[in-house]
């Protein structure tokens, strides 16, 4: 497997890191293994592509020329009489992920099969790698500490430009998990006419603050204080790895649940061994890519512009999610202010890692999409005039 394949598999491994009480050792499988595991028909409808934006200006004034954006797709585009693509769906990945995160079996087996909510025979599903992730331009490609400091709003602007280059000017649905869910909120505000519906999963429409900011700061501080960090210009042959233990443990504490962590480490010796396994999973991540990833949430704050949202929205959180605790009412209260918004608090069972278990939320997604289709049927003249 080449370096890109190893990197993508490492991110997929991180995506399912807390899918079992005890973390198994991960072998180095063939690059296609995660895709093949998602179902025998998925490989046939999976395509990959790239868009190069000649020059991209970030909100802070920095530039990249070009900005390379990688994406995967499932299914084929359908077009109306005017040639416009009518069945596109945008799925946005979480922190530490890539577009292929959605191909892990615990997600794909519940979304992409025949008759399932996102059947590729019906929809054209776009899975982008965000700036700094997977096959898209990232700090570790060469700029390292000189890479532009991007934010979630830059991610959304780049995704929109990528879709335009692909010939997509309207989306049936924008949906995302965790970080991707936050970006879905921004999509609804920055491009309010660009989609029929929006579905953010496991996030809140507020600044990253309180405990959610504190744990991220711990990870960032661990990277910056790593003895080998050197301001981002570290030796690629001997990269910083001391930061990975703090990052892995903080990630586990926030994303998993107390009962699952206790099952993974029922006594002192097993807990310490489990910590070593978690740290080992993180050692494959580039320190610079990770730092930019965690700090990119600094510009996230949809609260001031929620009045711009027009599309129907279904927001889903989990009752046992420690990243987005249910006792904070901001999601429910914000959704109540939208003209066509609905908030659902699911019981969960996996904590924040419920984002990787689509059996928890696939039915909600399917019903939401079906309702959007009914609305389209009832308003055909409006839909045709877009």
């Amino acid at each position: 497997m080449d370096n890109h394949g190893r990197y993508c598999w490492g991110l997929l491994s991180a995506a399912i890191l807390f899918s079992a009480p005890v973390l198994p050792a991960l072998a180095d499988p063939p690059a296609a293994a995660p895709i093949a595991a998602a179902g025998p028909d998925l490989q046939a409808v999976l395509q990959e592509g790239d868009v190069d934006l000649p020059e991209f200006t970030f909100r802070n004034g920095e530039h990249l020329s070009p900005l390379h954006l990688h994406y995967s797709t499932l299914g084929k585009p359908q077009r109306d009489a005017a040639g416009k693509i009518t069945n596109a769906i945008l799925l946005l990945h979480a922190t530490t992920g890539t577009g292929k995160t959605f191909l892990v079996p615990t997600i794909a087996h519940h979304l992409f099969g025949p008759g399932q909510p996102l059947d590729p025979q019906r929809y054209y599903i776009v899975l982008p790698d965000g700036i700094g992730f997977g096959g898209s331009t990232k700090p570790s490609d060469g700029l390292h500490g000189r890479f532009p400091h991007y934010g979630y709003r830059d991610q959304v602007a780049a995704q929109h430009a990528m879709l335009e280059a692909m010939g997509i000017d309207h989306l049936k649905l924008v949906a995302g998990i965790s970080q991707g869910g936050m970006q879905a909120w921004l999509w609804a505000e920055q491009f309010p006419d660009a989609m029929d519906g929006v579905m953010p999963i496991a996030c809140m429409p507020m600044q990253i603050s309180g405990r959610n900011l504190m744990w991220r700061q711990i990870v960032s501080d661990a990277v910056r204080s790593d003895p080998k960090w050197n301001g981002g210009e570290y030796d690629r042959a001997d990269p910083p790895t001391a930061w990975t233990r703090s990052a892995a443990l903080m990630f586990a504490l926030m994303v998993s649940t107390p009962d699952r962590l206790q099952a993974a480490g029922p006594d002192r010796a097993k807990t310490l061994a489990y910590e070593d396994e978690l740290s080992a999973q993180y050692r494959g991540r580039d320190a610079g890519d990770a730092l930019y990833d965690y700090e990119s949430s600094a510009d996230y704050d949809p609260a001031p512009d929620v009045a711009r949202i027009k599309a129907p929205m279904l927001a889903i959180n989990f009752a046992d999610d420690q990243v987005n605790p249910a006792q904070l009412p901001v999601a429910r209260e914000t959704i109540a202010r939208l003209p066509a918004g609905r908030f659902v608090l699911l019981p969960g069972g996996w904590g924040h890692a419920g984002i990787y278990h689509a059996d928890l939320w696939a039915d909600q997604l399917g019903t939401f999409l079906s309702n959007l289709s009914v609305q389209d049927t009832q308003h055909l003249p409006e839909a045709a005039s877009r």
Side-chain angles (χ1 to χ4, degrees):
M1 186 187 296
D2 61 15
N3 288 337
H4 176 62
R6 291 178 188 275
Y7 180 82
C8 289
W9 174 248
L11 293 179
L12 285 168
S13 301
I16 56 175
L17 192 58
F18 303 101
S19 295
V22 178
L23 177 67
L26 292 174
D28 190 13
I35 300 169
D41 297 325
L42 205 53
Q43 183 73 63
V45 295
L46 178 73
Q47 300 289 328
E48 299 198 45
D50 300 280
V51 167
D52 286 316
L53 303 178
E55 182 169 350
F56 186 82
T57 302
F58 294 81
R59 288 173 61 88
N60 64 5
E62 295 180 275
H63 300 263
L64 269 181
S65 302
L67 173 61
H68 181 78
L69 299 170
H70 183 75
Y71 63 88
S72 305
T73 64
L74 298 172
K76 295 181 179 180
Q78 299 173 4
R79 300 178 186 273
D80 61 15
K84 292 181 177 289
I85 296 173
T86 60
N87 65 332
I89 286 177
L90 182 67
L91 296 184
L92 302 173
H93 63 74
T95 299
T96 77
T98 71
K100 288 190 178 68
T101 295
F102 291 97
L103 302 181
V104 298
T106 54
I107 297 178
H109 284 175
H110 302 282
L111 295 187
F112 304 127
Q116 289 183 335
L118 300 181
D119 186 344
Q121 296 301 315
R122 183 176 182 183
Y123 297 111
Y124 182 51
I125 303 150
V126 182
L127 311 169
D129 292 351
I131 302 169
F133 300 89
S136 294
T137 303
K138 50 190 175 293
S140 60
D141 290 338
L143 288 178
H144 311 305
R146 293 169 284 114
F147 195 86
H149 288 82
Y150 62 85
Y152 285 4
R153 294 179 182 274
D154 295 312
Q155 294 278 22
V156 169
Q159 292 156 6
H160 185 264
M162 182 196 78
L163 292 176
E164 285 189 324
M166 295 170 64
I168 300 172
D169 61 8
H170 193 81
L171 295 157
K172 185 72 179 174
L173 176 72
V174 177
I177 53 176
S178 190
Q179 173 182 268
M182 290 184 272
Q183 292 172 11
W185 273 97
L186 297 179
W187 258 95
E189 294 181 353
Q190 292 179 221
F191 305 103
D193 297 309
M195 74 290 292
D196 292 340
V198 188
M199 186 172 167
I201 302 171
C203 61
M204 292 192 293
M206 63 184 290
Q207 286 184 351
I208 302 296
S209 54
R211 182 172 59 182
N212 197 6
L213 178 56
M214 291 177 183
W215 80 273
R216 294 167 187 265
Q217 289 293 106
I218 291 173
V219 175
S220 295
D221 291 346
V223 173
R224 293 185 185 279
S225 62
D226 191 296
K228 298 180 182 178
W229 172 241
N230 192 32
E233 298 304 323
Y234 46 87
D235 184 353
R236 298 307 174 224
D238 186 24
T241 58
W243 68 277
T244 59
R245 191 168 188 84
S246 294
L249 299 188
M250 286 307 306
F251 196 79
L253 289 173
M254 295 301 298
V255 173
S256 192
T257 61
D259 56 329
R260 293 188 182 280
L261 290 175
Q262 188 63 36
D267 57 40
R268 179 177 175 83
K270 290 179 180 177
T271 299
L272 294 176
Y274 185 56
E275 290 179 3
D276 290 340
E277 291 183 71
L278 295 178
S279 300
Q281 293 286 345
Y282 253 74
R283 286 193 194 107
R285 291 214 70 197
D286 180 86
D289 291 349
L291 179 69
Y292 274 79
D293 181 4
Y294 278 101
E295 293 189 343
S296 66
S297 64
D299 72 341
Y300 175 70
D301 185 11
D305 293 320
V306 292
R308 289 177 49 83
I309 297 175
K310 299 179 182 179
M313 176 181 285
L314 172 63
I316 291 178
N317 279 358
F318 306 113
D320 57 354
D321 185 349
Q322 296 302 304
V323 178
N324 305 288
Q327 60 263 46
L328 298 183
V330 62
R332 186 184 302 275
E333 292 176 353
T334 304
I335 289 290
R337 294 161 47 197
L338 301 182
R342 180 168 174 256
F343 175 73
V344 174
L345 184 67
L346 297 177
W350 296 92
H352 190 67
I355 59 176
Y356 306 121
H357 294 268
D359 57 308
L360 300 177
W361 43 270
D363 287 347
Q364 295 283 345
L365 171 58
T367 300
F368 185 57
L369 263 178
S370 296
N371 290 339
L372 292 178
S373 298
V374 169
Q375 292 169 14
D376 282 352
T377 302
Q378 294 172 344
H379 300 90
L380 284 177
E382 296 179 19
S385 66
R386 285 194 183 103

